[in-house]
Amino acid sequence: MEVHAHSHTPRKKWTHYFWEFIMLFLAVIAGFYAENIREHKVEHKRGKEYLKSFLSDLRTDTAHYRELLDDYEKKLKVLEHNYECYSLIKVRSDFNQCLWKIIEETFSFPDLITEDRTLQQLKSSGALRLIPKQDADSITKYDSEIREQLQGERTGVQEAQSLLRNAYFELLNYDVAYKGLQERKFMAGSRVIDISDPAKIDRLFSILTRYQQLMEGQVGNISDLYNRAVSLINYFSGKYHFKD
């Protein structure tokens, strides 16, 4: 009977297994770092897209701020004649034209409306982490300044506006006002408001004086927001070389 000898495969040395482990470990680490780098690039790109969108919002804001400043400056120009108009009422002279200009400019005020779509996305999604801290801080500071201005508008300005409207409603002679609006002038001897109660006249012009001060404050606050927005536009455009 033929006997076959069994062939034996030489056993691998421990160093072979060691190097296999090292190579596998390095492959896993390399894959991890590659994925990390890829994810970092994706997040960096997303961060720049958010900044570009925010820059577009800032340009919209600055255009709106300029319109607001024009409106408030127009108001202040008319409000400069408060005391002159008050004096005409006191001596029972013809005050209709001067007072009606004041009423037209002070019966309402333009709202501060900002383009906040990107800000809301950044805050709600936690995407501020995709933006360098210094840049994220400048964005949140701008957002804080807007909210502070809105709060002041809702309280001080809106309160004065409501008081002023009520004062007008107490004194307004509807028939004279209506005909004056229709004809764009007032009949001689007519009075657009009732001046029989001096205390109500004094109250009206006291409110108008406070309103004028608030409008001056609005000009200062909106000018600050405008300058802040322009500064951010210049900063982000220069840093990231965004094109218009």
Side-chain angles (χ1 to χ4, degrees):
M1 178 168 42
E2 184 177 356
V3 178
H4 297 280
H6 295 286
S7 61
H8 296 281
T9 304
R11 294 184 62 185
K12 296 180 181 179
K13 295 182 179 181
W14 70 269
T15 55
H16 178 83
Y17 294 106
F18 173 77
W19 285 112
E20 277 189 348
F21 169 77
I22 291 296
M23 294 300 290
L24 181 61
F25 176 77
L26 290 175
V28 171
I29 292 295
F32 172 77
Y33 277 110
E35 179 62 22
N36 207 345
I37 291 171
R38 187 194 68 80
E39 186 176 336
H40 179 74
K41 286 182 176 179
V42 170
E43 289 187 344
H44 180 69
K45 183 179 179 181
R46 284 180 61 205
K48 287 191 70 174
E49 288 173 352
Y50 275 117
L51 286 173
K52 190 172 183 179
S53 177
F54 178 63
L55 195 63
S56 176
D57 293 350
L58 286 173
R59 292 194 173 99
T60 300
D61 285 350
T62 55
H64 181 57
Y65 295 151
R66 285 193 294 268
E67 291 176 1
L68 285 176
L69 289 171
D70 287 343
D71 288 341
Y72 282 118
E73 292 289 357
K74 186 179 177 184
K75 283 178 176 292
L76 288 173
K77 193 169 182 179
V78 171
L79 286 166
E80 289 175 358
H81 301 286
N82 274 351
Y83 192 78
E84 175 187 328
C85 199
Y86 172 76
S87 299
L88 290 174
I89 293 173
K90 282 295 185 180
V91 298
R92 296 177 178 268
S93 185
D94 185 6
F95 59 82
N96 282 339
Q97 292 298 338
C98 74
L99 182 59
W100 193 253
K101 286 181 181 178
I102 292 173
I103 293 174
E104 283 184 317
E105 286 299 331
T106 61
F107 206 78
S108 64
F109 68 92
D111 294 326
L112 172 64
I113 301 173
T114 60
E115 182 56 79
D116 64 348
R117 60 192 174 96
T118 307
L119 269 171
Q120 294 304 324
Q121 289 174 6
L122 285 169
K123 291 191 294 184
S124 63
S125 67
L128 278 169
R129 65 181 178 78
L130 305 176
I131 297 171
K133 186 178 184 306
Q134 181 181 357
D135 298 346
D137 288 346
S138 66
I139 291 172
T140 54
K141 181 173 171 40
Y142 177 68
D143 180 45
S144 176
E145 290 170 353
I146 290 174
R147 286 185 285 109
E148 183 179 346
Q149 171 63 17
L150 286 171
Q151 180 62 28
E153 186 179 279
R154 282 191 294 265
T155 53
V157 180
Q158 186 60 63
E159 181 181 353
Q161 185 67 71
S162 297
L163 288 172
L164 191 53
R165 284 196 192 121
N166 290 336
Y168 286 143
F169 289 143
E170 285 183 357
L171 296 168
L172 198 64
N173 184 327
Y174 176 74
D175 185 52
V176 174
Y178 179 79
K179 289 178 180 177
L181 280 173
Q182 295 296 311
E183 299 173 11
R184 303 308 299 171
K185 65 179 181 179
F186 296 95
M187 291 179 59
S190 66
R191 288 172 179 165
V192 73
I193 61 169
D194 176 15
I195 63 172
S196 62
D197 189 339
K200 287 184 178 180
I201 300 300
D202 285 348
R203 179 175 180 272
L204 170 63
F205 279 88
S206 294
I207 297 170
L208 274 170
T209 298
R210 175 56 180 158
Y211 189 83
Q212 181 179 6
Q213 293 169 345
L214 288 168
M215 294 302 100
E216 291 169 349
Q218 287 291 90
V219 169
N221 293 335
I222 293 170
S223 293
D224 289 342
L225 284 177
Y226 174 80
N227 292 332
R228 178 71 174 162
V230 169
S231 177
L232 288 173
I233 288 172
N234 293 335
Y235 171 73
F236 287 124
S237 296
K239 182 174 181 180
Y240 295 99
H241 308 290
F242 291 130
K243 295 181 181 179
D244 293 339

